Amino acid sequence: MTARPPRPDRPAPDTDQPHDLVGIGIGPFNLSLAALAHGIPGTPHPLAATFYEQRPAFHWHPGLLIDGASLQVPFLADLVTLADPTSPWTFLNYLRTRDRLFPFYFAERFHIQRAEYDAYCRWVTEQLPGLHFGHQVDAIRWNTERALFEVDFTQLDNHGEAEALGRAHTRHIALGVGTEPHIPEPLKPLAEAGSVPVIHSADYLHHREQLLNAEHITVIGSGQSGAEIFLDLLRARPAGHEKLHWLARTPAFAPMEYSKLGLEHFTPDYTRYFHALPEPVRDELVPDQWQLHKGIDHDTITAIHEELYRRTLHGGWPDATLTPGVCVRTAGRVATTRVELHLEHTQQGTRSRLTTDAVVLATGYRERPLDQMLDGLRTRLRRDSSGRPRIDEQFRLDLDPTITGNIYVQNAERHTHGVGAPDLGLAAWRSATILNNLTGTTAYHLPQRTAFTTFGLTPHTANIPTQTPTLTPLVQSN
């Protein structure tokens, strides 16, 4: 969600009872929080929670719901199961309500398709109360007299135009505004001008037909999205006339680290370990761990190779060039309809030019800046040495102690909590952690140990023995 400055014609605050929690943004992470907040086990009174989202309805990466594309996490990484498998909002219960349990059982799928995950989340939004789409949050302030947060919002009509203004009061806030597509600086002018097809992968399906009509297509980006788009384009192009380039900055089109012990970097144990590290160490670690979350699924790599190999069966090679280790230095438009990319190979130290008719930027996403939305709290927000918000182990912004409410963040804490921040597999655990902290109870039982790996020597988690072992001397003294 994009924050806007508060408007002077904001109506007087409402007189309703304040909320316990206001969630801003309804993506998978705040949807997980909303689902677990609905009917918290063992609480006599329901949590007064409401969630606002400026979009008219829930959609999860609609431009990337390519036929056959699967989630890179098992279906158990739904909104709630890893915190509460008895919840009515599990993926299995969604299948039950659709009379699809037996087909799913016989399909033996551990990884479901992205389109099915999107349909499951939309089912939850259609059933779960307290979700308000078409509501754009404009500003957040702290009301000292009432000891409450004020949340100003604009209600939007079906065309995205302002329809009404409102204000909510709440004891706590959960920011789940998600990420936004990242477009590299050399390509921003072309992408923004729109005169030539330079699009981000987030919009791929919306422009697929236009792309397929282009004579030559270049895909930039070595992650899963880039691989899926390259494979989809490859399958749609005639053999021998593919006219595709796939470029990447990484030194290889590398598989994602998917070993069982490697996956333990996406456990609460590792998250706690990472959070306890000094800030400079954390900042060094994150870029080095790119293969944990930016690599390509093994099945996708295999499918690409098989498709390329199939096109050599009658002799010749497909007209497809796959080149890693390349960065785009500059880019420009030529002949009004084409794009010229100025490339540099980082290992060779060589430079070249590539002329293409369309570019797909599978260049990932970046966390949406929170500064504009939190402008009313600017002087009360503690920051680290790089100017980023400090976030504690319970996912709370570090605020001035005069503010008695909490602002929790979801998927804006990679710099403090590590590579698991955007991972769906940690969504339910993080939501449960937030709710336990918010209610001051053990609303959800969370395991003390989640990994076989012991990260570090300091006993920061319960899985590290604290007993002092008895040492046997190697040499007996006289």
Side-chain angles (χ1 to χ4, degrees):
M1 294 181 64
T2 303
R4 294 182 181 176
R7 296 172 55 167
D9 54 344
R10 184 69 51 185
D14 58 42
T15 57
D16 295 338
Q17 289 295 318
H19 301 287
D20 295 312
L21 174 67
V22 164
I24 301 174
I26 306 177
F29 296 133
N30 258 1
L31 186 57
S32 166
L33 185 64
L36 288 173
H38 180 255
I40 294 179
T43 55
H45 303 290
L47 195 68
T50 193
F51 291 76
Y52 300 125
E53 166 63 51
Q54 72 174 16
R55 296 176 300 172
F58 182 95
H59 287 290
W60 185 71
H61 297 304
L64 281 170
L65 299 182
I66 301 170
D67 286 345
S70 298
L71 284 185
Q72 293 173 278
V73 292
F75 75 89
L76 292 174
D78 63 14
L79 300 173
V80 294
T81 292
L82 291 177
D84 182 12
T86 67
S87 167
W89 310 112
T90 64
F91 176 73
L92 289 179
N93 193 43
Y94 160 71
L95 293 177
R96 184 189 66 82
T97 64
R98 294 293 193 266
D99 291 333
R100 295 181 57 225
L101 268 177
F102 273 92
F104 181 75
Y105 166 60
F106 290 121
E108 297 183 342
R109 291 177 181 267
F110 203 48
H111 292 78
I112 63 175
Q113 293 192 9
R114 289 185 183 181
E116 188 166 27
Y117 178 80
D118 176 65
Y120 154 66
C121 288
R122 283 189 282 110
W123 169 77
V124 174
T125 64
E126 292 163 3
Q127 310 294 321
L128 191 66
L131 306 181
H132 302 280
F133 291 91
H135 284 66
Q136 173 187 278
V137 171
D138 303 316
I140 299 169
R141 291 180 300 276
W142 177 250
N143 187 317
T144 304
E145 293 182 0
R146 298 187 63 181
L148 294 169
F149 289 106
E150 293 179 350
V151 179
D152 287 346
F153 60 85
T154 301
Q155 189 172 343
L156 308 175
D157 62 19
N158 294 333
H159 303 288
E161 298 296 327
E163 192 172 54
L165 302 175
R167 175 176 295 165
H169 290 90
T170 181
R171 297 179 180 88
H172 306 285
I173 289 173
L175 292 177
V177 295
T179 56
E180 58 188 4
H182 170 67
I183 298 178
E185 287 297 329
L187 289 150
K188 269 188 178 180
L190 292 175
E192 293 171 353
S195 54
V196 288
V198 177
I199 66 164
H200 192 272
S201 58
D203 297 316
Y204 170 68
L205 287 182
H206 307 313
H207 297 272
R208 185 174 183 271
E209 291 304 317
Q210 178 189 11
L211 291 168
L212 289 176
N213 289 329
E215 183 177 354
H216 184 277
I217 311 171
T218 300
V219 178
I220 300 176
S222 62
Q224 182 68 18
S225 296
E228 289 173 350
I229 289 171
F230 177 79
L231 177 60
D232 185 60
L233 292 171
L234 179 63
R235 286 171 169 168
R237 307 283 272 192
H241 301 278
E242 295 84 0
K243 295 187 181 299
L244 293 173
H245 259 74
W246 186 14
L247 307 175
R249 296 185 64 178
T250 54
F253 295 104
M256 184 171 292
E257 169 56 70
Y258 211 72
S259 67
K260 302 304 179 186
L261 292 180
L263 288 175
E264 291 193 342
H265 286 84
F266 300 96
T267 59
D269 278 11
Y270 182 77
T271 301
R272 288 188 289 260
Y273 160 77
F274 184 91
H275 188 272
L277 293 173
E279 180 188 330
V281 177
R282 296 198 303 252
D283 288 345
E284 289 180 3
L285 266 178
V286 171
D288 291 341
Q289 295 176 330
W290 66 270
Q291 212 166 332
L292 288 170
H293 61 106
K294 291 185 178 180
I296 306 170
D297 175 76
H298 286 73
D299 291 341
T300 307
I301 291 178
T302 300
I304 290 172
H305 191 273
E306 288 179 348
E307 183 64 28
L308 291 169
Y309 177 74
R310 185 182 68 80
R311 291 165 183 253
T312 68
L313 295 182
H314 303 292
W317 289 72
D319 186 9
T321 303
L322 293 71
T323 310
V326 173
C327 66
V328 179
R329 296 175 53 249
T330 59
R333 190 179 66 182
V334 294
T336 68
T337 61
R338 309 197 78 194
V339 177
E340 184 176 85
L341 303 175
H342 295 203
L343 310 177
E344 180 174 4
H345 195 283
T346 52
Q347 293 178 351
Q348 288 183 326
T350 54
R351 294 182 177 182
S352 181
R353 296 181 181 183
L354 171 65
T355 302
T356 185
D357 296 284
V359 179
V360 182
L361 300 172
T363 46
Y365 297 79
R366 297 291 186 272
E367 296 172 357
R368 279 196 172 91
L370 303 178
D371 290 347
Q372 189 172 354
M373 186 173 292
L374 297 176
D375 187 63
L377 301 170
R378 182 178 64 254
T379 60
R380 299 185 174 191
L381 179 63
R382 309 291 176 82
R383 300 179 182 273
D384 64 16
S385 62
S386 298
R388 301 165 298 194
R390 289 169 53 180
I391 304 168
D392 72 9
E393 193 172 359
Q394 305 299 314
F395 303 96
R396 299 175 298 188
L397 292 178
D398 187 358
L399 299 172
D400 188 282
T402 58
I403 298 178
T404 56
N406 294 319
I407 297 180
Y408 301 93
V409 295
Q410 304 223 63
N411 195 15
E413 74 282 4
R414 184 180 295 179
H415 63 290
T416 56
H417 288 71
V419 294
D423 190 76
L424 294 175
L426 284 172
W429 170 77
R430 177 172 53 198
S431 294
T433 299
I434 290 172
L435 291 171
N436 285 355
N437 180 265
L438 186 152
T439 61
T441 67
T442 307
Y444 290 98
H445 171 76
L446 298 176
Q448 291 298 309
R449 181 174 182 176
T450 56
F452 290 111
T453 306
T454 298
F455 299 102
L457 298 177
T458 304
H460 61 281
T461 60
N463 68 340
I464 300 179
T466 56
Q467 297 88 352
T468 302
T470 302
L471 299 179
T472 304
L474 297 178
V475 179
Q476 294 289 342
S477 58
N478 295 329

